Amino acid sequence: MVPGEDNPLVPKEGVFWSCRQSIFNEMKKRFSQIENAADEPRVLCIVQDTTNCRTVNERITLNLPASTSVRRLFEDVSSKAGYVSGTFSLMWGNGVPNGDMAVLDGSLDASLQDAGFESGKKNFLHLTDKNGEQPQLASDESGTADSSGLDDSTQEKFIGPLPREGYVGCAGDYVSQNYTYSSLLSKSDTGYVGLVNQAMTCYLNSLLQTLFMTPEFRNALYKWAFEVSEEDPVTSIPYQLQRLFVLLQTSKKRAIETTDVTRSFGWDSSEAWQQHDVQELCRVMFDALEQKWKQTEQADLINQLYQGKLKDYVRCLECGYESWRIDTFLDIPLVIRPYGSSTAFGSVEEALNAFVQPETLDGPNQYFCERCKKKCDARKGLRFLHFPYLLTLQLKRFDFDYTSMHRIKLNDRMTFPEELDMSPFIDVEDEKSPQTESCTDSGAENEGSCHSDQMSNDFSTDDNLDEGIGLESNHGAEKINKLSVEKNTLYELFSVMVHSGSAAGGHYYACIKSFTDDQWYSFNDQHVSRITQDDVKKTYGGSTGNRGYYSSAFASSTNAYMLMYRLKNPARNAKFLDPSEFPEHITHLVEKEKEQEEHEKRQREIERNTCKLKLFCMHPVKQIMMESKLEVHKDKTMTEAVEMAHKLMDLEGVVPLDCCRLVKYDEFHDYLERSYEDEEDKPMGFLLGGVKSSYMFDLLLETKRPDQVFQSYKPGEVMVKVYVVDLKTETVASPISVRAYLTQTVAEFKLLISKSTELPPDNMRVVLERCYNDLRLLSVLNKTLKAEGFFRSNKVFVESSDSLDHQLLFTDSQLWKLLDRHANTIRLYVSLPEHSPGPPPASCACPKACGAAARTDGFPDQVDGNLKSVDAILEESTEKLKTLSLQQHQDGGNGDSSKSTEESDFENIDSPLNEADSSGSADNRELENRILSADPDNHFQAEERSDSDVNNDRSTSSVDSDILSSSHSSDTLCNADSAPNPLANGLDSHSITSSRRSKANEGKKETWDTAEEDSGTDSEYDDSRKSRGEAQYVYFKAELHGAAEGAGEGQKCLTVNVDKRITLSAFKQQLEPFLGVPSSQFKVFRVYASNQEFESVRLNETLSSFSDDNKITIRLGRALKKGEYRVKVFQLLLNEPEPCKFLLDAVFAKGMSVHQSKEELIPQLREQCGLELAVERFRLRKKTWKNPGTVFLDYHVYENEISISSNWEVFLEVLDENEKMKSMSQLSLFTKRWRPSELKLDPFQELILETNSVDELREKICEISNIPLENLEFAKGRGTFPCDISVLEIHQDLDWNPKVSTLNAWPLYISDDGAVIFYRDKTEEPVELSEEQRNELMKKESSRLQKTGHRVTYSPRKEKALKIYLDGAANKDSAQD
């Protein structure tokens, strides 16, 4: 209300109005400032952190008034980035006029506008190191992070339901556990240390912090001394808890790890992803501590602190006779909402009253009184006899909803007092009856008959044991009489363990009151903050209004779950031990942990100042590119770094240290960026541009011979690998490294090459290979290298001769053909079968039949002593191919079957097949005859030559998907005799590109599932009868060497250099001289990773999918023809433990009937498997994994009625009688009888149904079992054939007697052959088993089903129980459940 003339409420005193007027004036002034600030231009600053202080550099955005001072800008940046002001520099970045990375200097008091910032635009700044030193983190002085490896990979500063001080959040406040590295560096300002959440271990952290903040527990734990001689410290739970508490009390870190504690529990990393109940953990951990503390002073510590006693009684209402027993408890479970009620208890006191409220046993629930000798009405209930020193209350918020059949969480409001008086709930004497009572104690303390007063007297004798804690040496001073104990029942709250989430999962944290300053703190994993009593009250839970039974569904999901109270008794209430009061062993432990922490701090400091880069080196002897990781401190000099790299690459004794140097290297482009001449004494941090988390370059350890000189690499140069081509010898020499500039012209580049190769530049042709097989002749002399497409790393071929090849079009020249062949040649390792005849005569070792002259190792092709050029051979081959094709086209309709597979176009070319002695080798012919006679399939004549559309485009493709420029085998093949360049380039005339590619090919993992699937064979010819393997692509050269490692005795291997555009058919024909048999009589298997072999059968496909150093295995035997498929035949054994047994590999062809295939199988089964079968006494059927499927009828034809594919699998089933399956309308089922009275299953019997009617199935089963139709029950088996199931579960687990009329309806879904049906007589009762018999049978069934690979039960997976393993091993029986 504003005073005025019309206002009658103006007070007489003017003090109030003068104060109010001054406030208005101040507000008016501030509003004016805000308005002026709104009108003032603003400066948008975008600061990018480019230092290496953090793993992920942050980008900071500031929108400041233009009048803001530069000093204020630095302060805002330091606050946002978390650095100490004055320890970093700000530099102008790109995107502004001052984009030269100049330092932002000048007067710190100048405004941003005066300093050069522009309003209305983005001003880019870079936060950099100052004077070569990294910025100092704002929390560096308080300590460093732990060794957990946590970093600042995220920008979240807080986690969990307590994101800010003085506030307790609800479920909506819970966020993912992201925190920065800097947040872990310093201890919380509260003075307390948090615990790192391993993954889902918040429940563990809450309990550990509660125990740590309990003075009596912590002090008692400190007094326990660990004996190294008695136990391994890693598995000692008390010792690891002791270490953890010491770190929580003395560490300077913000949070510490709990991995050592969980490791002592016997947990592995998977346990960190299992969330458990905090009350369950408390019980299990206390049990484990009791086991560990046996026969020590702390043996009864848990009972002394946490154990109480109550009486479970039943009192007869007629005679007063009472039967009771004494139980102990460690916590009191309090119901939130009674069963069936829609109203929850409002407070802990109400829940405690309900806990001790007796119930009346009447009606059908009457109690049999031993005194009255009849059933009488009685009262049954619980009475507390003694409360523990530390009282634990569990609020049972997790319940089961029988409507939805799911677990739910009750979020109803339940208050709890800060001080709880338990006297109303203690047992009172006047309630006892003078009648004689029967009492038993669950702890075997008061057994037999006794009076209630006798029980009280007996119990009073051990009051001191239950309440005494033994914290002082003089225990007698702590004893008090029974009367005073009963009067002192006032407890104070000190810990509230809160759960936020649902029954499916959530987050735990703890609100704990410190007994030192009576201040409440929130311990939320690694975050510790101060809170108030009002914040604790927010954990009561609940919502406004009453919504009925599901009211908790609309309430906050963050509420108290477990409460801990301590008895208020100044005589007993202990204080935390001061460090000066620590026992000697704790003092030593504190010193040890401090030393460890300091060591970790120093190591992290070293780590933060260490440059980490990839290091490469071409080994001068092994000639392979080695790779390692160089870690060098930023203050180490280049000379020291070279010495470290020399040792790291194990070059001691191989290359002198003074013959090594480090150069900047780009592995991806195989590019040497620069060398560091005259900078050997400079620190690595300066040379590498500071310490960074990752570098955009690598380092190469370059080596040279003592008589060589290191080449200088300057920034801005490009690297060129120069390959010299000799057209006369048709060889390509090893590469020479040349450095050039992109601004140089082609003419200047030729002069540069001429100096390095000593070739005349006048007739020099330079060919650039920009990518795989992309050859470009550099013919424009005044064009720059950049315009020609040169990049950081390049590859060129040069040729300088006086031949007429210069005058030809480049794509028609011999140079182009030689380079094209060079790029497409690969090296393969071929394993020959044992006792193969070996190589052809020496005169044919380098066959020129391949359509191209040999080009490697200085061995040109020689035919009758005359050297033939590539053009001559290609022309000759082409003419002969044309002649052959014309003859075949003219004779195509004659059906001449005498022409064998081997009479192909390749035989008409001058080749070793024809140049060899026409009679051949006698040994070869004998071997061929043995193979032909031994193979029963060799009655087939020559392969049918027909067109195949499968992958036809690939057969002549000259472009491979491989983007690599060339192969190592090609380099080696062409330049084995070439001398190295006398001027050292650090690689001893070896190509980094080639060698690394060879290494990459060696390390390339090929698997059968990524390989091309062969599904049948294709013809070598198309409709025009022309060979798909054109002569110009059929380069082939093979060298025989010894057996490969692991090969059998007598086995030989070939190293084959071949054009990968050759077809498989042509490749096989080139191998014929080395095998002594036609190509149709051996098979080619490609070897993949893990020695997996798959047959290559597509004859028209090229070898383009192969790469350098691939392995091939040759096996003798008839190769598949077009339309043929290799089939694996398995025998179906119905009543054997393993129903699937492999028999043999067979060959089925398209158009073949099932009857024909069975006839061909009979002799193979007899010879290879010893099975003597008639055609009508076995059947073939579909195989899907281990499940038998459709029965193949004799008149079915493959590919027409039955789909067939490569590596197909079928079942062979032996029949007891002739085949009854004659029609596709019939259905074959397997039935098995279950006999519950004997707990056994009968063997399988086959039923053949004419229809899919359930009535027919029931009738057929009755016929074979003699079970009356009205007593028959059946069920479909589950799982994989034979649908094994435990005899203890089959009676109730299967869906017996489904109410369906047809087999193809739910839940049967039987529409194909091979289904399993169990049946039983419903009048047959299961046999009764004793517990011992059941356990024994369960073990047998479990063993049986595990051996067969079938699961024992169909029950859903249960939640993983919380266990602590006392010996640290998770597979032991000593676990505490």
Side-chain angles (χ1 to χ4, degrees):
M1 182 178 294
V2 180
E5 296 178 353
D6 299 332
N7 188 359
L9 300 177
V10 178
K12 294 180 180 180
E13 298 81 1
V15 178
F16 171 77
W17 292 112
S18 62
C19 293
R20 187 168 184 178
Q21 188 63 38
S22 64
I23 294 174
F24 282 154
N25 293 336
E26 182 67 24
M27 291 177 63
K28 185 177 180 180
K29 181 180 179 181
R30 294 197 178 185
F31 283 142
S32 176
Q33 292 175 352
I34 293 174
E35 290 176 359
N36 294 335
D39 296 335
E40 180 183 356
R42 303 186 71 85
V43 174
L44 180 62
C45 304
I46 301 177
V47 184
Q48 177 66 50
D49 186 357
T50 61
T51 66
N52 195 47
C53 282
R54 306 182 187 279
T55 304
V56 177
N57 294 333
E58 300 180 2
R59 171 176 285 192
I60 302 168
T61 303
L62 300 173
N63 192 3
L64 304 173
S67 60
T68 304
S69 66
V70 176
R71 185 188 308 276
R72 181 59 184 271
L73 171 65
F74 273 88
E75 293 174 354
D76 289 348
V77 171
S78 63
S79 175
K80 290 279 188 180
Y83 297 141
V84 176
S85 182
T87 62
F88 59 88
S89 298
L90 292 179
M91 305 182 72
W92 290 104
N94 297 328
V96 295
N98 307 61
D100 55 353
M101 292 297 288
V103 179
L104 177 63
D105 50 10
S107 174
L108 294 178
D109 296 327
S111 66
L112 297 181
Q113 191 170 9
D114 296 338
F117 289 82
E118 297 185 26
S119 59
K121 294 184 178 180
K122 295 180 180 179
N123 298 270
F124 292 91
L125 298 173
H126 288 278
L127 192 156
T128 62
D129 300 340
K130 187 172 184 179
N131 299 327
E133 296 291 333
Q134 290 184 354
Q136 183 180 354
L137 294 172
S139 52
D140 270 356
E141 66 275 9
S142 302
T144 56
D146 57 71
S147 57
S148 60
L150 299 171
D151 56 26
D152 55 323
S153 58
T154 65
Q155 300 180 22
E156 299 291 339
K157 305 299 182 185
F158 294 95
I159 68 162
L162 299 178
R164 59 182 180 272
E165 290 201 9
Y167 175 75
V168 177
C170 60
D173 302 314
Y174 180 69
V175 295
S176 61
Q177 298 180 11
N178 297 327
Y179 45 88
T180 63
Y181 183 74
S182 60
S183 69
L184 283 173
L185 292 178
S186 63
K187 199 171 186 176
S188 168
D189 57 2
T190 62
Y192 291 103
V193 179
L195 294 174
V196 176
N197 191 332
Q198 297 183 37
M200 300 176 69
T201 57
C202 52
Y203 67 99
L204 173 66
N205 294 348
S206 301
L207 180 61
L208 291 176
Q209 292 283 20
T210 298
L211 296 178
F212 172 74
M213 296 295 287
T214 306
E216 293 77 10
F217 185 89
R218 191 205 298 183
N219 296 347
L221 181 65
Y222 281 177
K223 290 182 179 180
W224 175 81
F226 173 70
E227 297 293 340
V228 181
S229 59
E230 296 181 1
E231 191 178 6
D232 183 1
V234 176
T235 60
S236 175
I237 298 174
Y239 176 69
Q240 294 301 332
L241 283 177
Q242 203 175 68
R243 285 188 62 243
L244 183 73
F245 282 15
V246 166
L247 290 173
L248 287 174
Q249 187 170 354
T250 63
S251 177
K252 296 180 181 180
K253 301 176 183 176
R254 177 177 290 271
I256 57 177
E257 287 280 1
T258 58
T259 50
D260 290 338
V261 175
T262 55
R263 190 178 296 111
S264 70
F265 290 171
W267 295 358
D268 55 20
S269 58
S270 64
E271 287 287 348
W273 296 93
Q274 295 283 338
Q275 188 174 89
H276 295 289
D277 187 277
V278 67
Q279 185 266 349
E280 181 187 11
L281 171 68
C282 184
R283 297 292 298 271
V284 174
M285 190 167 74
F286 281 176
D287 194 13
L289 287 173
E290 285 185 318
Q291 295 291 331
K292 288 286 187 178
W293 277 333
K294 282 184 177 180
Q295 299 179 354
T296 67
E297 293 182 6
Q298 289 74 22
D300 203 37
L301 175 66
I302 301 300
N303 293 337
Q304 292 174 10
L305 294 179
Y306 296 95
Q307 182 176 280
K309 291 193 177 184
L310 55 79
K311 180 170 68 174
D312 186 354
Y313 68 91
V314 179
R315 171 176 291 183
C316 178
L317 295 181
E318 293 188 11
C319 67
Y321 177 81
E322 185 177 277
S323 176
W324 49 268
R325 71 179 183 190
I326 297 175
D327 286 330
T328 60
F329 65 89
L330 294 178
D331 54 63
I332 303 174
L334 299 181
V335 175
I336 297 289
R337 186 190 303 163
Y339 177 74
S341 173
S342 61
T343 305
F345 295 123
S347 66
V348 165
E349 293 89 340
E350 289 184 27
L352 284 169
N353 279 320
F355 187 84
V356 298
Q357 184 68 31
E359 62 173 319
T360 302
L361 302 179
D362 56 7
N365 295 327
Q366 279 186 326
Y367 164 71
F368 184 83
C369 178
E370 295 183 6
R371 172 171 292 183
C372 299
K373 302 300 181 183
K374 65 174 183 177
K375 288 189 174 182
C376 305
D377 290 349
R379 290 172 59 188
K380 182 181 187 302
L382 300 170
R383 294 195 193 104
F384 289 107
L385 301 177
H386 168 67
F387 291 111
Y389 179 74
L390 296 172
L391 178 65
T392 305
L393 303 180
Q394 181 206 4
L395 308 185
K396 300 182 67 175
R397 293 195 174 273
F398 299 108
D399 202 355
F400 188 81
D401 184 4
Y402 289 93
T403 303
S404 62
M405 302 303 290
H406 287 93
R407 290 181 64 195
I408 60 173
K409 183 184 177 186
L410 305 176
N411 294 313
D412 300 271
R413 178 181 176 86
M414 174 172 277
T415 65
F416 44 87
E418 190 171 359
E419 290 189 351
L420 178 62
D421 186 6
M422 296 297 292
S423 59
F425 312 107
I426 201 77
D427 191 14
V428 293
E429 291 292 334
D430 58 359
E431 191 178 350
K432 298 186 185 303
S433 169
Q435 310 294 338
T436 304
E437 301 171 346
S438 171
C439 68
T440 60
D441 185 287
S442 59
E445 189 175 327
N446 299 309
E447 296 184 357
S449 298
C450 63
H451 290 64
S452 58
D453 56 347
Q454 176 192 349
M455 182 273 299
S456 270
N457 293 332
D458 290 342
F459 173 70
S460 65
T461 59
D462 62 6
D463 279 336
N464 184 56
L465 291 177
D466 289 311
E467 294 195 81
I469 315 163
L471 296 177
E472 305 295 339
S473 58
N474 187 4
H475 296 285
E478 296 182 0
K479 294 184 179 180
I480 60 174
N481 56 44
K482 178 179 182 292
L483 182 60
S484 62
V485 171
E486 291 178 349
K487 289 183 179 179
N488 189 8
T489 55
L490 187 62
Y491 286 82
E492 63 175 325
L493 179 69
F494 76 95
S495 177
V496 180
M497 278 165 270
V498 184
H499 181 268
S500 174
S502 66
H507 178 65
Y508 283 99
Y509 62 95
C511 301
I512 306 175
K513 183 177 75 171
S514 171
F515 290 113
T516 303
D517 55 5
D518 288 336
Q519 169 66 46
W520 281 92
Y521 297 91
S522 168
F523 291 84
N524 187 2
D525 288 338
Q526 59 265 36
H527 295 289
V528 185
S529 58
R530 291 182 178 87
I531 58 175
T532 65
Q533 181 63 33
D534 292 336
D535 295 321
V536 178
K537 292 180 180 179
K538 292 178 183 178
T539 65
Y540 289 164
S543 60
T544 58
N546 186 4
R547 299 176 182 264
Y549 182 78
Y550 291 101
S551 62
S552 64
F554 303 94
S556 169
S557 65
T558 301
N559 35 53
Y561 179 67
M562 200 166 170
L563 311 174
M564 280 199 177
Y565 287 83
R566 186 177 77 162
L567 184 67
K568 292 192 70 173
N569 190 331
R572 282 187 183 78
N573 296 155
K575 296 182 179 180
F576 296 111
L577 288 178
D578 189 80
S580 61
E581 301 173 341
F582 282 170
E584 185 178 356
H585 62 275
I586 296 297
T587 303
H588 291 327
L589 183 60
V590 170
E591 294 175 356
K592 177 182 177 182
E593 294 300 331
K594 282 185 177 180
E595 291 176 1
Q596 179 66 22
E597 192 169 302
E598 288 299 323
H599 175 71
E600 292 175 359
K601 182 178 179 179
R602 290 192 297 270
Q603 288 299 116
R604 278 190 298 273
E605 189 65 27
I606 295 174
E607 187 81 5
R608 288 174 52 187
N609 292 285
T610 299
C611 305
K612 300 178 181 179
L613 300 92
K614 279 187 179 180
L615 176 66
F616 297 93
C617 177
M618 175 62 69
H619 197 282
V621 177
K622 300 178 182 178
Q623 290 301 318
I624 59 173
M625 181 65 80
M626 300 185 297
E627 179 180 340
S628 186
K629 186 176 183 180
L630 178 64
E631 298 184 2
V632 56
H633 194 273
K634 67 175 185 178
D635 296 332
K636 295 281 187 180
T637 63
M638 173 60 75
T639 302
E640 294 172 316
V642 171
E643 185 177 354
M644 294 172 61
H646 185 261
K647 293 180 180 178
L648 194 62
M649 287 301 179
D650 197 21
L651 296 181
E652 296 183 13
V654 179
V655 179
L657 182 61
D658 57 358
C659 291
C660 301
R661 71 170 179 175
L662 287 174
V663 296
K664 196 174 180 180
Y665 174 58
D666 181 357
E667 178 210 5
F668 183 79
H669 296 100
D670 189 20
Y671 170 60
L672 298 174
E673 295 190 13
R674 60 158 297 186
S675 54
Y676 300 96
E677 286 84 6
D678 302 326
E679 295 181 306
E680 290 80 6
D681 296 330
K682 291 185 179 181
M684 293 296 292
F686 174 79
L687 295 176
L688 300 178
V691 180
K692 301 183 182 298
S693 58
S694 61
Y695 292 87
M696 300 300 293
F697 56 88
D698 312 302
L699 291 179
L700 175 72
L701 182 63
E702 207 174 21
T703 62
K704 69 178 183 68
R705 292 194 300 270
D707 58 338
Q708 290 179 316
V709 178
F710 279 124
Q711 184 178 350
S712 177
Y713 308 138
K714 298 179 181 179
E717 293 179 335
V718 294
M719 186 174 180
V720 184
K721 297 292 182 65
V722 180
Y723 294 80
V724 178
V725 180
D726 190 336
L727 293 182
K728 294 181 180 180
T729 60
E730 296 188 350
T731 57
V732 179
S734 297
I736 299 172
S737 295
V738 174
R739 309 279 294 187
Y741 290 95
L742 294 176
T743 56
Q744 288 180 324
T745 63
V746 173
E748 294 171 340
F749 183 58
K750 286 185 177 182
L751 293 175
L752 184 63
I753 295 177
S754 177
K755 293 180 181 179
S756 300
T757 61
E758 299 180 356
L759 295 175
D762 299 334
N763 296 327
M764 183 181 295
R765 285 185 292 176
V766 180
V767 180
L768 171 65
E769 184 181 81
R770 293 189 294 186
C771 59
Y772 166 74
N773 214 23
D774 181 10
L775 304 175
R776 179 173 182 173
L777 181 65
L778 306 183
S779 56
V780 183
L781 297 180
N782 61 350
K783 203 170 183 180
T784 63
L785 300 185
K786 183 176 181 179
E788 289 287 4
F790 278 68
F791 192 54
R792 307 180 77 181
S793 183
N794 309 274
K795 182 178 182 179
V796 298
F797 298 91
V798 297
E799 187 273 334
S800 182
S801 65
D802 299 330
S803 64
L804 299 179
D805 196 57
H806 289 72
Q807 303 174 5
L808 299 177
L809 187 66
F810 176 61
T811 53
D812 296 333
S813 66
Q814 181 184 358
L815 176 61
W816 185 90
K817 295 174 183 177
L818 182 61
L819 295 180
D820 178 68
R821 188 184 70 191
H822 170 86
N824 286 283
T825 300
I826 58 175
R827 179 177 60 225
L828 302 176
Y829 296 110
V830 181
S831 297
L832 303 178
E834 295 184 10
H835 311 300
S836 55
S843 59
C844 305
C846 295
K848 69 177 181 62
C850 309
R855 55 167 183 147
T856 65
D857 298 333
F859 291 100
D861 289 333
Q862 296 181 5
V863 180
D864 297 332
N866 298 323
L867 180 66
K868 286 191 176 183
S869 66
V870 176
D871 289 333
I873 296 175
L874 288 176
E875 183 178 357
E876 181 181 357
S877 302
T878 304
E879 291 299 325
K880 294 191 176 184
L881 278 171
K882 290 181 180 179
T883 304
L884 176 63
S885 299
L886 181 61
Q887 293 176 355
Q888 291 175 341
H889 181 70
Q890 293 174 352
D891 300 336
N894 298 335
D896 185 6
S897 61
S898 63
K899 189 173 183 63
S900 66
T901 306
E902 296 74 47
E903 291 177 280
S904 65
D905 52 342
F906 299 102
E907 290 184 329
N908 295 290
I909 305 173
D910 293 340
S911 71
L913 301 177
N914 297 327
E915 290 177 354
D917 191 343
S918 59
S919 61
S921 169
D923 294 337
N924 291 356
R925 292 192 175 184
E926 286 184 14
L927 179 59
E928 180 178 349
N929 292 334
R930 287 199 303 268
I931 295 173
L932 294 175
S933 61
D935 191 343
D937 295 323
N938 277 322
H939 60 275
F940 285 91
Q941 296 300 319
E943 297 181 20
E944 182 67 24
R945 305 292 186 176
S946 62
D947 181 38
S948 172
D949 297 329
V950 182
N951 292 334
N952 191 31
D953 57 325
R954 293 187 58 187
S955 60
T956 57
S957 174
S958 62
V959 180
D960 186 29
S961 60
D962 188 1
I963 199 64
L964 297 176
S965 301
S966 66
S967 64
H968 175 60
S969 63
S970 303
D971 298 336
T972 306
L973 195 64
C974 301
N975 52 53
D977 295 338
S978 302
N981 182 23
L983 181 62
N985 59 2
L987 304 178
D988 287 347
S989 74
H990 241 271
S991 166
I992 297 177
T993 304
S994 302
S995 302
R996 286 193 54 74
R997 183 174 301 114
S998 176
K999 176 187 174 184
N1001 288 331
E1002 289 176 2
K1004 186 184 298 183
K1005 294 185 178 179
E1006 292 179 303
T1007 56
W1008 64 270
D1009 54 345
T1010 61
E1012 176 186 359
E1013 180 185 357
D1014 293 323
S1015 57
T1017 57
D1018 296 306
S1019 172
E1020 300 174 44
Y1021 296 89
D1022 55 20
D1023 291 335
S1024 62
R1025 304 294 288 174
K1026 291 183 179 180
S1027 170
R1028 298 184 187 272
E1030 296 184 19
Q1032 68 181 45
Y1033 296 144
V1034 194
Y1035 173 80
F1036 182 96
K1037 182 177 183 296
E1039 294 180 357
L1040 187 68
H1041 56 82
E1045 184 178 354
E1049 184 179 356
Q1051 189 172 1
K1052 301 174 183 178
C1053 296
L1054 291 175
T1055 299
V1056 176
N1057 295 285
V1058 62
D1059 192 317
K1060 61 184 177 183
R1061 294 168 294 186
I1062 191 176
T1063 63
L1064 178 62
S1065 174
F1067 179 70
K1068 291 182 66 176
Q1069 291 181 14
Q1070 299 299 328
L1071 291 175
E1072 287 180 358
F1074 300 93
L1075 294 166
V1077 295
S1079 60
S1080 62
Q1081 299 304 319
F1082 63 86
K1083 297 170 285 187
V1084 176
F1085 290 85
R1086 186 172 180 178
V1087 183
Y1088 294 94
S1090 303
N1091 292 324
Q1092 293 175 312
E1093 296 183 357
F1094 282 84
E1095 185 178 1
S1096 298
V1097 294
R1098 291 183 174 177
L1099 298 176
N1100 68 322
E1101 287 195 357
T1102 65
L1103 304 183
S1104 57
S1105 62
F1106 288 75
S1107 57
D1108 263 347
D1109 299 331
N1110 279 177
K1111 296 181 180 180
I1112 290 176
T1113 299
I1114 305 296
R1115 288 195 174 91
L1116 298 178
R1118 185 176 69 81
L1120 296 178
K1121 303 181 179 67
K1122 180 175 176 59
E1124 293 185 340
Y1125 298 88
R1126 203 168 303 281
V1127 179
K1128 295 183 179 297
V1129 181
F1130 294 81
Q1131 185 176 2
L1132 179 62
L1133 303 170
L1134 293 179
N1135 295 300
E1136 296 293 331
E1138 180 53 55
C1140 182
K1141 176 185 176 182
F1142 175 75
L1143 292 179
L1144 50 82
D1145 284 321
V1147 176
F1148 291 179
K1150 295 179 183 179
M1152 178 187 290
S1153 68
V1154 174
H1155 188 271
Q1156 290 175 326
S1157 64
K1158 290 167 66 177
E1159 288 181 333
E1160 291 193 8
L1161 281 175
I1162 289 176
Q1164 300 179 51
L1165 292 170
R1166 180 172 56 250
E1167 296 173 5
Q1168 300 182 36
C1169 307
L1171 293 177
E1172 190 69 45
L1173 300 175
V1175 174
E1176 64 277 4
R1177 298 301 291 271
F1178 74 94
R1179 64 163 68 124
L1180 300 178
R1181 63 190 307 159
K1182 182 180 179 181
K1183 180 180 181 292
T1184 306
W1185 194 32
K1186 293 185 178 181
N1187 298 313
T1190 307
V1191 174
F1192 299 148
L1193 305 181
D1194 284 353
Y1195 57 83
H1196 283 168
V1197 177
Y1198 298 114
E1199 194 62 26
N1200 293 340
E1201 289 87 3
I1202 303 173
S1203 297
I1204 188 171
S1205 60
S1206 180
N1207 294 319
W1208 198 42
E1209 295 180 350
V1210 297
F1211 267 128
L1212 182 149
E1213 182 184 359
V1214 180
L1215 303 176
D1216 296 330
E1217 51 189 0
N1218 290 347
E1219 178 64 82
K1220 294 182 179 180
M1221 291 285 291
K1222 303 296 183 182
S1223 170
M1224 287 295 293
S1225 62
Q1226 294 176 305
L1227 196 63
S1228 171
L1229 303 177
F1230 298 116
T1231 63
K1232 182 176 279 194
R1233 179 169 181 174
W1234 160 240
R1235 299 183 183 272
S1237 61
E1238 303 177 29
L1239 291 181
K1240 76 171 188 177
L1241 290 162
D1242 287 353
F1244 275 117
Q1245 289 181 282
E1246 184 185 33
L1247 285 184
I1248 297 179
L1249 306 181
E1250 302 298 328
T1251 65
N1252 64 348
S1253 169
V1254 172
D1255 292 337
E1256 182 184 2
L1257 172 63
R1258 296 172 63 89
E1259 292 173 0
K1260 294 273 189 179
I1261 293 176
C1262 291
E1263 290 178 8
I1264 63 174
S1265 64
N1266 296 323
I1267 299 176
L1269 188 61
E1270 62 274 11
N1271 295 335
L1272 177 68
E1273 291 184 338
F1274 70 93
K1276 182 184 176 182
R1278 298 173 180 170
T1280 307
F1281 186 85
C1283 305
D1284 273 337
I1285 185 173
S1286 172
V1287 296
L1288 295 174
E1289 299 172 353
I1290 185 173
H1291 201 71
Q1292 64 272 6
D1293 278 12
L1294 294 183
D1295 187 7
W1296 290 97
N1297 209 26
K1299 306 300 182 182
V1300 291
S1301 59
T1302 59
L1303 297 177
N1304 57 1
W1306 184 85
L1308 294 178
Y1309 284 134
I1310 299 176
S1311 57
D1312 196 5
D1313 302 323
V1316 174
I1317 299 294
F1318 294 99
Y1319 65 91
R1320 69 183 180 187
D1321 187 341
K1322 68 178 182 180
T1323 61
E1324 186 176 352
E1325 294 294 331
V1327 64
E1328 294 291 337
L1329 296 175
S1330 64
E1331 191 66 25
E1332 183 179 352
Q1333 291 174 327
R1334 178 175 292 275
N1335 292 337
E1336 185 65 27
L1337 184 58
M1338 185 180 299
K1339 291 180 182 179
K1340 291 182 180 179
E1341 286 295 283
S1342 176
S1343 176
R1344 177 180 69 86
L1345 295 176
Q1346 286 177 358
K1347 288 180 180 178
T1348 59
H1350 291 77
R1351 56 183 178 180
V1352 179
T1353 177
Y1354 293 99
S1355 302
R1357 189 179 73 87
K1358 298 179 181 179
E1359 294 182 5
K1360 189 173 182 179
L1362 189 151
K1363 297 181 180 180
I1364 291 179
Y1365 306 91
L1366 296 182
D1367 56 357
N1371 58 349
K1372 302 297 182 183
D1373 298 331
S1374 58
Q1376 300 301 309
D1377 296 316

